[in-house]
Every structure is written in C-alpha cells, then in structure tokens.
Amino acid sequence: MKHLRASGANMTDILYAAPLSLFSGKARAYMDWKNVDYVEELCTPDIQRDIVIPNVGRPVIPVVKTADGSVVQDTTRIIDHYEAALPGPPVYPDGPVQKLVALLLELFGDEWLVIPAMHYRWNYNEEWVYGEFGAVALPDGTREAQLAKGRETGARFKGFVPMLGITPQTIPAIEASYEALLADLDRHFGRHDYLLGSRPSIGDFGLIGPLYAHLYRDPASGEIMDRIAPNVSQWVQRMVFVKEPLSGDFLAGDAVPDGLLPILARMMAEQLPYLQQVAHKLAVWAEANPGADVPRAVGMADFTIEGVTGERIATPYSLWMLQRALDHYRGFSPRDKKAADALLGKIGGDIFANFDLPRRVVFENHAIHLAEQTPAA
C-alpha cells in the first residue's frame, strides 16, 4: 500500500481513502495491482471539507485526485480511468462469458455483500470500529478522544443498518447465507488464485471491498473467515498485499470454473429479484417526478435470503452497475449469447437474461441521473 505523500509533493495521483472503508479497499487493491503511481492520504474531515465536497458535492470516500488536478469518484470509475490510461494486462477478460461473470460478481460484491459486511461490522465489531472511526476523524488525538469522536461519527453509520435490511428477523438468514458463500468461495480458491484464473478480474475487485475492509479486517468477522474459509483469507491477502503487479492470466478458452456456479446462483436468487423491484420503483418514481434529481433511494424493496423476507432501501445506483452486465450480454453475437445462455441456465439466470429495465440511468458528475431515452422494447 502506498502511504502519505511528502509535504508539497504534487506530481503523482492521490487516493483519499481510509483503512476501514469498504470501497477504499477495492480502489487500493486495484491501484496496487495495476502498479499505479500514487500516494494515499487519510480522508479526514478536513480533506472532506476542503477537497472532496467542493469537487464531488458531498462527503464520500474514496476519491482520486490525478496529477493534472482531475477528480475521479466511484471505484468503478476509478478502475475504468486507469484501465484506459495505463498499459498492462486488463482486469476485464477478453472472453465474453468470462467478462459477463466478472461484471456480475463486481455487482454482487459492491451492492449485495454490503449486507453481511455491515451486519458483522455493527453486530460483532461495534466497539472496535468506533476506534477506527475516531482514528480517521482525529488522527492526532488521544485514544480517549478518538473513541469519543468515533462514537459520535459511527452512530450515523450504525443508523444505516436497518435500512439495509439487517434486522433481528433477517440476521440468522444473513449469517447462514454468508457462511454458505464463504464455503463456496473457499472451495473455489482452493483450486484457483482468483475468480477466473491467475489474474484478478473486475469481479475480484468487486468482492474484495466487503470481504477485506469489513469481513477480514474487522477482528471478530476476520476470525470467522479464518476459521470457516482459510482459502478466502489467503485470497484476501493476495489481493491486498500485492506481490506481483500486472501478472497472471485468465483461464483459456473463455472457461468459467464450476466452483463459481453456486456463487452466481446465490446472486441470481437473492439479488436479482430485489433489483427487479428497484427498476420498477425507479420507473414509478420517474413518472411522478419529471425533471427531479434522482435520489439515493426510491423507497424500500423486498428481498429474500434463505427463505426469509426483509425490506431494504431501493438504490438506483445498483441499476447502473447492473446495466454494465446487461449491456455486455445484450450486445453478444448469436454464438456468444448461446454460450452465455448455457451458463445462465445452470445458475437460474433467466431473471437476468429477461430483466425488465423500464428506465436507464447514467452516472455523470458524480451522481446517478435518468437517461434521456428509455430502453428499446
């Protein structure tokens, strides 16, 4: 990991981030693997006030400021920026089906595994994480001052937990689903270094955010991962402590390991029905609010995990992530579509193949907006 820049240094890119941040973990892992010339600065309240909010419009983490002064926000945007700007092996596979799988698993990691990540953080690691929040807010403060400030700052994040669908009713199902996912990932990483071979893909970087910053790094949940899924812990270490940047290959022949099938099937069963509700709720909201800015959430949507139904915020941003995979799939040649459909048939993927997207969204100026045109029928 790159560290704090020297005073006055301004000829390299800066990653404003924090150790406890889920998406900082994703961006940092990618930038280290891509061998980006960057330094990391702790995103303190002063940095938020002086740099992030004036450029992005709201306090958010992580943010990259490039050497030419441009600001890039959102981890997928950050990755795509460097994929276009730098030479070296891409994290997007050339194989059409492999790329589809990688895009799906980025969506799964970014937008769904936040549920177990936030559950384990706030229901297993709460006292510890207050110190982490305090260290960001008061990096030079005493331990007592950091803990006091951390409780104040952390209370806002803890308040998000029920809105994510984490309740006494759903917690047993969330834990059962997460432990089953760990078991599936453990079997896969016992055979492969990364999801699709010996090179990390965009899917690996989607998964590393929650699986590192919350579920590995937080002590109580890290102990669970080490005990249940040691191969996953070793994958986390490969992703975070990069020994050979720009190395490895994706599996030949556009092959998708069988070990990924139960993971993709879990995604299709849990996340896609929720996303279908979000898509319909966004369309209803857009009809009722012409010309309005798209909010962070358009109400609440049901979801079901391990047979237990809960309710969580309906986030239009998730649809932008989904569109990346849908657009790739819907642009396939007949031959590639046949191969993709064979895979989707093994994982309950009809809900993805036939996804109804009444309104498209775009990500511009650091925010989600409705696209001007609705999708073609």
Side-chain angles (χ1 to χ4, degrees):
M1 185 176 76
K2 310 295 175 69
H3 294 288
L4 189 68
R5 63 173 175 165
S7 177
N10 58 2
M11 297 303 293
T12 192
D13 292 1
I14 305 167
L15 172 67
Y16 297 108
L20 81 166
S21 158
L22 185 154
F23 288 106
S24 294
K26 177 185 176 184
R28 185 187 304 111
Y30 168 81
M31 293 172 74
D32 285 347
W33 185 84
K34 197 68 176 183
N35 212 22
V36 176
D37 181 16
Y38 80 99
V39 292
E40 180 172 340
E41 286 199 17
L42 187 65
C43 196
T44 63
D46 289 348
I47 293 292
Q48 292 280 10
R49 181 195 66 216
D50 297 339
I51 296 174
V52 176
I53 294 174
N55 284 283
V56 177
R58 66 185 189 281
V60 66
I61 187 172
V63 168
V64 165
K65 186 175 182 181
T66 64
D68 66 4
S70 301
V71 170
V72 188
Q73 180 267 321
D74 181 81
T75 52
T76 297
R77 290 286 197 188
I78 289 168
I79 290 172
D80 287 353
H81 165 78
Y82 288 114
E83 286 293 286
L86 297 179
V91 299
Y92 291 95
D94 290 331
V97 179
Q98 286 184 349
K99 183 176 179 179
L100 175 63
V101 167
L103 289 169
L104 287 171
L105 291 175
E106 185 196 20
L107 167 64
F108 185 53
D110 272 15
E111 296 298 299
W112 200 246
L113 294 190
V114 67
I115 298 174
M118 288 290 280
H119 160 58
Y120 283 94
R121 167 158 287 182
W122 289 106
N123 291 310
Y124 282 74
N125 297 280
E126 180 177 356
E127 290 302 313
W128 177 83
V129 84
Y130 286 140
E132 294 291 291
F133 274 107
V136 174
L138 296 173
D140 299 321
T142 66
R143 182 62 176 168
E144 292 75 15
Q146 288 179 343
L147 282 170
K149 185 64 175 178
R151 290 181 185 280
E152 176 187 328
T153 305
R156 180 169 64 91
F157 289 88
K158 185 179 180 182
F160 294 151
V161 169
M163 292 188 292
L164 294 172
I166 303 164
T167 66
Q169 176 188 354
T170 61
I171 282 172
I174 291 168
E175 293 190 356
S177 176
Y178 173 63
E179 291 189 9
L181 173 66
L182 279 184
D184 290 334
L185 286 169
D186 193 66
R187 282 187 289 272
H188 174 79
F189 289 130
R191 299 180 178 92
H192 301 277
D193 285 346
Y194 300 100
L195 291 174
L196 294 165
S198 59
R199 181 195 306 176
S201 71
I202 189 69
D204 291 271
F205 293 108
L207 294 182
I208 196 60
L211 287 173
Y212 166 65
H214 290 53
L215 293 164
Y216 174 88
R217 188 174 177 273
D218 289 13
S221 42
E223 184 278 327
I224 292 170
M225 183 184 290
D226 284 341
R227 174 167 43 84
I228 292 178
N231 291 321
V232 179
S233 292
Q234 291 172 23
W235 166 82
V236 170
Q237 293 167 27
R238 285 192 293 275
M239 292 288 292
V240 172
F241 306 109
V242 179
K243 293 182 178 179
E244 297 184 25
L246 302 172
S247 65
D249 295 293
F250 297 124
L251 296 171
D254 203 19
V256 175
D258 287 344
L260 296 184
L261 299 183
I263 298 162
L264 291 163
R266 180 171 301 279
M267 177 191 182
M268 293 296 150
E270 292 181 358
Q271 188 178 17
L272 266 292
Y274 158 81
L275 290 175
Q276 187 61 85
Q277 287 193 56
V278 176
H280 291 159
K281 286 180 177 292
L282 176 64
V284 171
W285 177 89
E287 185 71 21
N289 297 275
D293 292 337
V294 177
R296 299 286 297 276
V298 286
M300 304 291 288
D302 292 344
F303 69 99
T304 300
I305 294 179
E306 297 291 327
V308 176
T309 297
E311 192 178 49
R312 68 191 307 270
I313 54 173
T315 51
Y317 175 88
S318 298
L319 299 177
W320 180 70
M321 293 291 294
L322 173 67
Q323 280 175 193
R324 288 161 53 81
L326 281 174
D327 290 349
H328 176 62
Y329 171 73
R330 292 176 178 174
F332 279 168
S333 68
R335 178 181 177 181
D336 292 339
K337 185 175 184 300
K338 182 178 179 180
D341 286 344
L343 173 72
L344 292 172
K346 297 176 182 178
I347 62 172
D350 285 351
I351 189 170
F352 172 79
N354 301 312
F355 196 90
D356 178 30
L357 191 67
R359 296 297 303 263
R360 289 180 62 86
V361 293
V362 295
F363 189 96
E364 294 176 348
N365 299 319
H366 313 297
I368 291 292
H369 308 275
L370 291 170
E372 293 184 5
Q373 299 295 326
T374 57

